[in-house]
Amino acid sequence: VMTLALQRDDAWYRERLAPPAGRVRVVIDTDAANEIDDLFALACLVFAGTGLFILKLHAGQRPGTSGLRKKVTVFQRTHYLENFVQALFDVLHGDAPAAGQTLVLGGDGRFYNRTAVQTILKMAAARGYARVLLGQGGILSTPAASAVIRRHQASGGIILSASHNPGGPDGDFGIKYNGTNGGPAPEKLTQAIYERTQLLTRYRLSDAPDIPL
């Protein structure tokens, strides 16, 4: 195996290290609050001066094979859940509404489940879904959600679960998407969702009141 080092001259480095001109749009995407390089980067950006516009400051929203899992306190951050759900809907539907489609929704009942369900219901309504099949009390296990998706020929389902991870106010929360076959979203889809989460500047939410679960 041969490793080739890229040769760059001083002018190349000076050009890229020069202060940018005008307003700079930045998305800060970090999972590691304890990594010193991330902390330095955040400090430099925050104190950079008037030329900086922080578009978004979120822990990274890259879903794994079991969806997106973070601490409840992360999901409770302003617009955090909404950003991910809007990215999911955008990837699934592009600029089109989800007219005539059915979405399955539910979770394992852990802390923050009911709050997340109400938010997703309003976002699904704003997206134009014809109906949402919701587990009673907002509770629906992953196997049950998969069965409901297939039986009712739904377009897919959002499952709120962090599996065996501990729950509670200081515990974990998770969100994942299963496709029309009831199975987990493929890597190609989760990658597209992640990329979309970094670009959003808005999301759509119905102004309807919460529904009794």
Side-chain angles (χ1 to χ4, degrees):
V1 176
M2 181 171 59
T3 301
L4 299 177
L6 296 176
Q7 299 298 318
R8 307 291 189 185
D9 59 21
D10 290 344
W12 187 89
Y13 287 105
R14 281 196 298 270
E15 178 185 351
R16 283 153 181 79
L17 292 173
R23 198 176 188 184
V24 180
R25 292 167 64 87
V26 176
V27 174
I28 302 174
D29 181 10
T30 174
D31 280 330
N34 62 338
E35 291 194 8
I36 193 65
D37 57 333
D38 285 350
L39 297 179
F40 274 123
L42 290 172
C44 289
L45 286 168
V46 169
F47 293 104
T50 57
L52 176 70
F53 169 54
I54 300 180
L55 178 66
K56 192 176 302 177
L57 178 56
H58 279 324
Q61 292 189 311
R62 183 189 294 277
T65 56
S66 298
L68 178 67
R69 293 183 182 179
K70 301 289 181 184
K71 292 294 184 183
V72 168
T73 51
V74 173
F75 274 96
Q76 289 174 322
R77 293 175 184 170
T78 304
H79 310 314
Y80 188 85
L81 174 64
E82 293 90 339
N83 189 75
F84 185 81
V85 175
Q86 185 67 53
L88 168 63
F89 287 165
D90 285 357
V91 169
L92 292 175
H93 308 296
D95 295 329
Q101 297 191 33
T102 297
L103 179 71
V104 174
L105 175 63
D108 58 14
R110 66 181 54 229
F111 187 87
Y112 197 63
N113 190 80
R114 286 175 172 261
T115 301
V117 162
Q118 297 287 3
T119 296
I120 295 169
L121 284 173
K122 293 175 184 178
M123 295 188 72
R127 193 68 196 205
Y129 277 94
R131 62 176 181 165
V132 176
L133 300 180
L134 177 67
Q136 185 173 4
I139 297 176
L140 196 64
S141 69
T142 298
S146 296
V148 173
I149 291 170
R150 294 193 303 272
R151 178 163 184 172
H152 293 273
Q153 298 181 330
S155 58
I158 295 176
I159 304 167
L160 306 171
S161 173
S163 189
H164 59 276
N165 293 21
D170 299 316
D172 293 346
F173 191 77
I175 179 171
K176 58 184 177 181
Y177 180 77
N178 280 20
T180 187
N181 65 351
E187 185 177 353
K188 181 179 180 180
L189 178 60
T190 59
Q191 178 62 26
I193 295 168
Y194 169 66
E195 292 172 359
R196 183 63 180 160
T197 64
Q198 300 178 87
L199 302 174
L200 286 178
T201 57
R202 63 173 179 79
Y203 60 86
R204 298 184 65 187
L205 187 77
S206 169
D207 58 1
D210 288 356
I211 67 169
L213 299 179

